[in-house]
């Protein structure tokens, strides 16, 4: 089904979405807005919050796992306990922006087949950074359960 909207009415269809990480006019105010939206739900697991398009728009399951790995944050850490949400949002923007014209996702900087990701889809293989076996488990999301991947050593459990 396709609905045609007048430009003046676009907000009715997408106004609930958070800042678009691929907005060509990305600016610091959008980072602050995304951080504020994440902080509205401080008791939510950050891995779940990143998939919520009303917080910030553009992160899917692959990027969620990779961004959290790169920041050393366990997916079950509560939003309130993430020490640098600003840095997390900035990294999210940079990673998506770097991949916007590429087929697939590359988060390691290595485009060789099988070397594109740090943790996503790699359980139970060894972590590329520390050698610990990558873990996977279901995690809640707005669309139901999603499989998340993390390194238990590089991304220690909250506590």
């Amino acid at each position: 089904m396709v609905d045609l909207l007048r430009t003046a009415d676009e907000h009715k269809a997408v106004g609930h979405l958070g800042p678009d990480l691929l907005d060509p006019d990305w600016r610091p105010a959008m980072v602050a807005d995304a951080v504020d939206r994440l902080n509205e739900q401080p008791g939510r697991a950050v891995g779940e919050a990143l998939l919520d398009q009303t917080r910030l728009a553009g992160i899917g399951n692959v990027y969620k796992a990779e961004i959290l790995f790169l920041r050393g944050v366990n997916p079950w850490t509560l939003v309130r306990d993430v020490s640098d949400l600003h840095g997390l949002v900035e990294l999210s923007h940079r990673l998506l922006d770097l991949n916007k014209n590429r087929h697939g996702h590359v988060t390691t900087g290595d485009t060789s087949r099988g070397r594109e990701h740090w943790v996503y889809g790699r359980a139970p293989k060894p972590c590329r950074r520390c050698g610990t076996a990558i873990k996977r488990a279901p995690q809640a999301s707005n669309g139901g359960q999603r499989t998340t991947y993390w390194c238990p050593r590089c991304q220690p459990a909250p506590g």
Side-chain angles (χ1 to χ4, degrees), residues 17-112:
L17 297 176
D20 180 355
L21 291 165
L22 287 176
D23 188 319
D25 296 321
W26 183 259
R27 55 195 176 280
M30 296 170 90
V31 175
D33 184 20
V35 169
D36 288 347
R37 287 170 178 253
L38 287 165
N39 277 322
E40 287 173 354
Q41 299 174 334
R44 191 175 194 186
V46 69
E48 180 183 341
L50 290 179
L51 292 178
D52 184 343
Q53 304 298 297
T54 67
R55 306 295 102 196
L56 64 169
I59 296 177
N61 208 37
V62 173
Y63 285 113
K64 171 197 75 172
E66 296 295 293
I67 289 162
L68 292 174
F69 174 80
L70 289 166
R71 297 299 297 181
V73 177
N74 184 284
W76 285 272
T77 301
L78 299 180
V79 168
R80 72 171 143 255
D81 296 328
V82 175
S83 62
D84 186 11
L85 282 175
H86 185 274
L88 192 79
V89 171
E90 279 289 357
L91 176 61
S92 300
H93 164 68
R94 284 195 316 273
L95 203 53
L96 269 71
D97 192 57
L98 287 169
N99 279 284
K100 69 183 175 193
N101 295 319
R102 179 190 323 263
H103 177 72
H105 322 93
V106 176
T107 58
T108 61
D110 187 342
T111 59
S112 303

